[in-house]
Amino acid sequence: MIGRALVLREHIEAAKSKATRAQRKKFLLDDDWDLLEEFHAALKPFAMATKVLSGQSYVTSSKVLETWRRLMKTLNLAKDKNKFKVSDKAIDVFISALERYWDKYMQNMVYLCAAAFDPRHKKLKLLRSKKMRDSVWTRVSQEGCTIAKRMDDARKKQAQPDDLSDESQQLAPLSESESDENECADASGQPSPAKPSKSSEDFRVTAEIAKYRAMPIPSKE
């Protein structure tokens, strides 16, 4: 709305010149137009950030922190160049609010892990210390191992027959020792191969994450 008013300013001023003295009191003054121009410049980065984070054809969670950081940087640079002469106090409120919420969201592992999985932001330059970056990758490894285990459990559950008869469901369950003995042998009576341990699955996931971290960052076209 502000941008549209600025575009039509010439026509609004022309209408003002033809208005009566009583009607002119309802029109904007020159100071009002200056304030609108500054607010338009200050709110434009917010509009662009909203458009980026509202996308539906691409992942947006990995862009939250980077977009937030660029938004704060844009406002600070504009303020340092004295672009906000009339609305400087309001801009200070904007920047302080962004910084306050920035400290809060920088502790949100959902956004940090999402940024880590984005090849463009996986270096996690948003985090200043190596300790913080390593803590994010530790969390990523833990979550990866958890997901791998859940997927493995889901595959095992799908492989089990679900058409058991009522009679078989009424059978007494095996003890733990008997179950272990049966799991070590297949249908032919031969010992079945040992299942990979949890530690080996964790090692595989950790190795894949390390391989991903070592891959070069895609260049911008």
Side-chain angles (χ1 to χ4, degrees):
M1 181 182 294
I2 296 178
R4 188 62 178 169
L6 292 174
V7 172
L8 298 175
R9 179 178 179 178
E10 181 179 350
H11 301 283
I12 295 175
E13 292 292 341
K16 179 181 178 180
S17 63
K18 298 179 182 180
T20 63
R21 179 176 299 181
Q23 292 174 337
R24 290 180 183 179
K25 295 180 180 180
K26 300 179 181 180
F27 285 84
L28 297 176
L29 303 176
D30 291 339
D31 291 343
D32 297 329
W33 285 109
D34 294 339
L35 184 61
L36 282 180
E37 288 179 356
E38 290 190 6
F39 270 119
H40 181 258
L43 294 176
K44 189 174 182 180
F46 286 92
M48 296 176 65
T50 302
K51 184 177 181 180
V52 170
L53 297 179
S54 299
Q56 298 182 356
S57 59
Y58 54 86
V59 178
T60 58
S61 57
S62 62
K63 295 176 174 288
V64 172
L65 297 179
E66 176 66 18
T67 303
W68 204 300
R69 184 186 68 85
R70 295 179 66 180
L71 183 58
M72 289 193 302
K73 184 178 180 180
T74 300
L75 290 178
N76 281 311
L77 288 176
K79 184 181 177 183
D80 292 340
K81 295 179 180 179
N82 295 323
K83 289 187 176 181
F84 306 119
K85 298 179 180 180
V86 182
S87 59
D88 54 343
K89 293 183 179 180
I91 301 304
D92 288 339
V93 174
F94 290 167
I95 295 176
S96 61
L98 285 172
E99 291 176 347
R100 183 171 65 253
Y101 284 106
W102 170 259
D103 294 337
K104 176 182 177 181
Y105 282 102
M106 278 300 291
Q107 300 175 5
N108 190 318
M109 276 292 175
V110 173
Y111 295 136
L112 290 171
C113 291
F117 276 117
D118 192 324
R120 297 165 297 181
H121 311 307
K122 67 178 182 178
K123 296 297 183 181
L124 298 177
K125 295 181 179 180
L126 297 169
L127 303 177
R128 297 180 180 179
S129 66
K130 183 177 182 298
K131 183 178 179 180
M132 296 179 65
R133 291 192 289 268
D134 290 341
S135 66
V136 174
W137 283 110
T138 299
R139 180 66 177 271
V140 168
S141 299
Q142 293 173 350
E143 295 295 334
C145 294
T146 301
I147 294 173
K149 184 178 183 303
R150 290 179 179 177
M151 293 178 64
D152 186 57
D153 292 343
R155 286 193 294 267
K156 291 178 181 178
K157 186 176 181 181
Q158 291 179 354
Q160 293 177 354
D162 54 357
D163 56 345
L164 298 177
S165 61
D166 294 338
E167 292 78 4
S168 62
Q169 293 180 7
Q170 296 175 2
L171 295 176
L174 297 175
S175 63
E176 293 184 359
S177 59
E178 292 172 330
S179 298
D180 294 340
E181 292 177 358
N182 290 340
E183 288 179 356
C184 296
D186 56 15
S188 62
Q190 299 295 328
S192 59
K195 298 180 180 180
S197 62
K198 182 178 179 180
S199 59
S200 63
E201 184 68 16
D202 292 351
F203 176 79
R204 183 184 68 81
V205 173
T206 304
E208 290 294 332
I209 292 176
K211 181 180 178 182
Y212 163 74
R213 293 183 65 181
M215 294 173 61
I217 297 178
S219 59
K220 297 181 180 180
E221 297 181 358

